Amino acid sequence: MTRRESARDFLRRFARNKGAVVGSGIVAIVVLVALLAPLVHPQSPWDMVQRPFLPPFTQEGVPFGTDTLGRDIFAGILYGAQISLLVGLVSTLVALSIGVTIGALAGYYGGLIDDALMRTTEFFQTIPNFALAIVLVAIFQPSITSVIVAIGVVSWPPVARLVRGEFLSLRSREFVQAARVIGQSNRTIITSQILPNTVSPIIVMASLMIAQAILLESALSFLGLGDPNTMSWGYMIGAARTVLRQAWWMSFFPGVAILLTVLALNLVGEGLNDALNPRLARKGR
Amino acid sequence: MAQTPSDPLIAIRNLSVSLPPGAERPYAVEDVSFDLHHNEILCVVGESGSGKSISANAVMGLLPKPHVRPTAGEIWFEGRDLLQVSEAEMQDLRGSRMGMIFQEPMTALNPLMRIGEQIAEVFDAHGAHGRRARRDKMVELLRDVGLPEPDTLGESYPFRLSGGQRQRVMIAMALALEPSVLIADEPTTALDVTTQAQILNLIKTIQAQRQMGVMFITHDFGVVAEIADRVAVMQLGKVVEIGTAEEVLNAPKHSYTRRLIAAVPNFDPPRRDPVQGTPVLSVDKLDKIYVTGRGLFTKGRRTHAAQAVSFDIRRGETLGLVGESGSGKSTVGRCIVRLLDADGGAIRFGELDFAKLTSQELRQQRKHVQMVFQDPYASLNPRRKIGRIIAEGPIAHGTSEADAMARAKDLLRLVGLDAGAAERYPHEFSGGQRQRVGIARALALDPELLVADEPVSALDVSVQAQVLDLLNDIKQRLDLALLFITHDLRVAAQVCDRIAVMKLGEIVELGDTHSVFTNPQHAYTKELLAAVPGRHWSIPEVALQAAGKARPEA
């Protein structure tokens, strides 16, 4: 089977999961929205454009209405997509780089190194994610960087455990022993022999982590711990919660945006799982 | 259809079983007809993928439907066509009229259920006997299959039993309702040679006592020679030859049977001239102790996997390390290539003590010894191209990538593969081809010694012969020393100049192969040699001629 055939095979298995196709469609729309936001709506989402408390679908140009200060909710949704995706992607990368490193070292070397690293991992796991994220953001001052770092730092332990498990089972495989016998260094064995064989479960996990990170970011902004200079979905809901009964639309639209994005990412993750895991099971055949 | 004792017990007529679309051939079994008579052992023999297990499963109604299903033919048993009966009827027949034993005794029993309960389930499923009678029957069965303490064994869990004992329990379960047919699918393949001999003996005795018909699936002609009354040879889903054991084994007619039999390594070792010269490797009093279950305050259990193991290997010599599972033969091999660190003793290549090297020095010295692994499927990284896999060794030692790749292509040709294979991935190759790649990888660093750990155990017999020939050829051409680890004494007889027999971590006998085989000194060696199935059968001349091999001077 050539590369192209196996890619086609992958797409076929992915497409068999209908939810995953719908999910990737939604994700594609969100990405598009984030990229096109400055073109569709060149004005800053913080600008007041209309009278406050304007209900949705009543005025040309402000389809989702305005918030308590007369800012365009539609613009907020557009720009919020940018921040959500940015935080989701970057913080997942941060979490992956910590988690994969720790998991790989623990799983490959075993023994005392494994013990030390896994106890550290468990230490992080015992602290509730969200509480730790709040503390970190509060200490480092709310900014986009501190939010990303905080989310990354609280989400790596599951990655480490997953990667460690994969390494534990792969390191005793004969091809790894063969690499040791021909004199490859441990670093080469970890990065070029074992790691490529663990990418499938890591990719699946990463897609779910992006969703998780978007939720965490929204929750932080909801509490007012987001970057004060960026419009985000969580912030919009947080700002609108006091007027929930008078102006449902202010929290409804960003809420739906979060719901759809997170749901779509989860569906994609599931589809990736379906598409990648049979390959895992058939690996080496 | 009334049956008299002279009718066959099972009559398979024109059976075809289809494979799912996209498989390598449309039918797993095509137009197969044969009979199983009362009171006989019929061996169905063939290589992997020949359809022998599928035939057995078709009889038992155990095909993985709907993808694999019978499309034509009849299987007559006790006046019924088994392909027509309902699933409920089939369930009734399975276990009561037809018993089956499987290959893997370690997984065939439920680990959470006592032995007795599992046997009782057979009675339960068929509503046979009362409570008291069941117990008596069970004890009787356990006694029949030669298990120790049959009165209390029913209370034990499977983990307390060895592989051989579990296989006996499986046989007891299969026999519980006194079926007239027993189907055994490679029942001894996973067992050690001495245990295998016992189980074969047991199946033979029970078959004779109960006058059953036994359909015995195997790939091993030694086993066939040991127990078969009649033999059916299968190739790619078709029966190519069927006849009495005498006919098929000693006067095979079909060319495939001849080739297959010629590929079986002969049990008589040829006489060889002792290899002269200085040793490449001297192993001196090697010790390896495994400690299991050690905690902070407990000492743990210590197992001597290798105890004062000493031997030399000369340039151009093949030393066989033979023994049963758990004898420590693989441990010794792994200590020599330093996949494991020995606890004591020396591993000398000339002046260099390999066992004492630090990991930094070790990486520089790896070129002395390389290893060929057992499992051709697990020993190649599935995500790397073949050429890259072979070139990795030289690259790790500082050769430029272009040089290493060019050398990889030369090596591929040396092991009988096309240089174009370098650009392909491992999954595009068969087991035998992959094993060739494994050998090429081991040769890439120009080692003085090759350690081959069961290099042909996972291969079919005809492929096995080719890989053994290749190893021998390369050894002579490159003047290598070879440490050949195997459990298969037939293979050892054919490839080894000298042989070391291991038992529980110690070498109990070491000598040139011919004298060890013809005049064993140690009691354990004698036991091991006596257990080799089909040892009195030697490969007939017709088969050797067909394969173009002259009988080596015995």
Side-chain angles (χ1 to χ4, degrees), chain A residues 162-177:
Chain A
L162 172 83
V163 174
R164 171 178 175 266
E166 292 286 321
F167 266 67
L168 277 180
S169 81
L170 284 167
R171 75 162 178 193
S172 57
R173 291 276 286 269
E174 283 186 347
F175 72 83
V176 177
Q177 297 184 356

Side-chain angles (χ1 to χ4, degrees), chain A residues 100-282:
Chain A
V100 169
T101 312
I102 288 186
L105 293 176
Y108 183 75
Y109 287 103
L112 278 178
I113 296 180
D114 183 26
D115 278 343
L117 290 174
M118 287 333 278
R119 291 307 83 80
T120 316
T121 310
E122 278 157 20
F123 172 75
F124 273 89
Q125 278 198 308
T126 52
I127 306 171
N129 270 358
F130 190 51
L132 183 57
I134 290 177
V135 171
L136 287 173
V137 174
I139 292 174
F140 293 110
Q141 302 301 322
S143 76
I144 190 106
T145 321
S146 71
V147 168
I148 286 172
V149 169
I151 294 176
V153 164
V154 300
S155 359
W156 63 267
V159 184
R161 300 187 71 98
L162 172 83
V163 174
R164 171 178 175 266
E166 292 286 321
F167 266 67
L168 277 180
S169 81
L170 284 167
R171 75 162 178 193
S172 57
R173 291 276 286 269
E174 283 186 347
F175 72 83
V176 177
Q177 297 184 356
R180 284 172 62 195
V181 172
I182 60 174
Q184 283 196 331
S185 63
N186 287 328
R187 203 175 66 188
T188 317
I189 294 177
I190 291 175
T191 53
S192 82
Q193 301 282 359
I194 309 185
L195 206 54
N197 284 292
T198 62
V199 281
S200 307
I202 294 179
I203 287 176
V204 172
M205 185 169 229
S207 67
L208 300 175
M209 280 171 65
I210 297 178
Q212 188 71 33
I214 290 177
L215 270 183
L216 269 176
E217 188 275 336
S218 305
L220 285 171
S221 320
F222 177 85
L223 294 182
L225 287 166
D227 189 322
N229 300 316
T230 52
M231 180 58 80
S232 105
W233 296 337
Y235 164 79
M236 292 165 76
I237 300 176
R241 72 182 189 280
T242 47
V243 294
L244 194 62
R245 289 205 294 180
Q246 299 93 308
W248 57 269
W249 62 90
M250 291 182 199
S251 41
F252 175 79
F253 291 111
V256 168
I258 294 172
L259 173 78
L260 282 180
T261 312
V262 171
L263 180 69
L265 282 166
N266 275 294
L267 290 173
V268 170
E270 223 165 87
L272 284 174
N273 196 23
D274 287 356
L276 290 169
N277 275 349
R279 273 173 69 80
L280 258 194
R282 286 188 302 163

Side-chain angles (χ1 to χ4, degrees), chain B residues 422-476:
Chain B
E423 294 305 315
R424 291 156 69 190
Y425 285 91
H427 67 162
E428 299 173 52
F429 294 90
S430 69
Q433 290 171 324
R434 289 183 197 208
Q435 206 56 316
R436 286 171 191 266
V437 174
I439 293 171
R441 167 175 58 194
L443 294 174
L445 287 175
D446 298 314
E448 303 159 57
L449 171 71
L450 270 190
V451 175
D453 189 358
E454 305 266 12
V456 295
S457 305
L459 305 175
D460 272 327
V461 60
S462 56
V463 184
Q464 192 174 37
Q466 292 163 11
V467 172
L468 288 176
D469 284 347
L470 172 70
L471 268 176
N472 203 28
D473 178 49
I474 280 171
K475 184 194 82 173
Q476 270 162 6

